[in-house]
Amino acid sequence: MKQLVIKKTVFFSAVLAVALTGALFTACQTSNPEVPANLTAREIIQKAQNAYNAGREKQALYYYDTLIARYGMNTVTYIEGKYEIAHIYVKAKKWDKALPVLKEIKNLYDSSLPGSYPGEYLKMVENDLAKVPEKYLKQE
């Protein structure tokens, strides 16, 4: 009988430890990461992609926001960061968040001389705009 009580205690302790570890892991996942000031734009983009690939959408968005805040004065970097943000929203089908960003990028291209910015982002924006359900396009 005493062995059964000990086994139950060990079992419940293990379950509690797993639950606390999961809660701690989740709490760490949701906080914004420290982004060292010496990171280049490419390094921040890589961190954002790694975060997204690991299922940490909010962290990825935070990295792209940081990219834009630090390097957004370069229009090509601004477009890349904004596109990646919009594309995350498109993948998540968050159309109300994706559409304004996609339109902003499209407007940058429409108001510039042809060839001023990399054409691949315009094409990717057009592809993502084509995925937006009609009802969201009509709301604007």
Side-chain angles (χ1 to χ4, degrees):
M1 183 71 163
K2 192 174 185 179
Q3 261 186 332
L4 183 59
V5 170
I6 291 172
K7 285 182 180 178
K8 283 184 176 179
T9 303
V10 169
F11 173 75
F12 287 118
S13 296
V15 169
L16 181 61
V18 168
L20 289 174
T21 302
L24 181 61
F25 178 73
T26 301
C28 290
Q29 260 191 321
T30 57
S31 64
N32 290 330
E34 172 103 14
V35 185
N38 65 341
L39 290 184
T40 66
R42 286 286 130 223
E43 290 170 324
I44 295 172
I45 290 167
Q46 187 60 55
K47 286 192 172 290
Q49 291 172 346
N50 292 345
Y52 184 78
N53 290 340
R56 296 188 309 268
E57 179 182 301
K58 287 183 182 178
Q59 271 191 6
L61 291 168
Y62 179 77
Y63 279 119
Y64 287 122
D65 285 337
T66 302
L67 171 76
I68 292 165
R70 290 187 189 172
Y71 298 101
M73 67 293 277
N74 176 316
T75 309
V76 174
T77 302
Y78 180 85
I79 289 170
E80 183 175 3
K82 283 293 195 171
Y83 172 74
E84 293 297 341
I85 289 169
H87 194 63
I88 287 172
Y89 290 142
V90 167
K91 286 182 176 180
K93 297 184 178 177
K94 295 178 180 176
W95 308 116
D96 55 326
K97 292 184 176 185
L99 188 56
V101 182
L102 292 169
K103 285 185 171 186
E104 176 188 359
I105 299 166
K106 179 91 169 69
N107 287 339
L108 280 171
Y109 277 90
D110 290 347
S111 64
S112 67
L113 294 173
S116 298
Y117 308 125
E120 63 265 19
Y121 287 105
L122 177 58
K123 185 64 179 164
M124 291 186 294
V125 163
E126 289 170 343
N127 288 342
D128 279 356
L129 281 169
K131 295 174 186 175
V132 177
E134 190 66 32
K135 73 177 189 175
Y136 290 93
L137 296 171
K138 289 180 180 178
Q139 289 175 1
E140 297 268 321

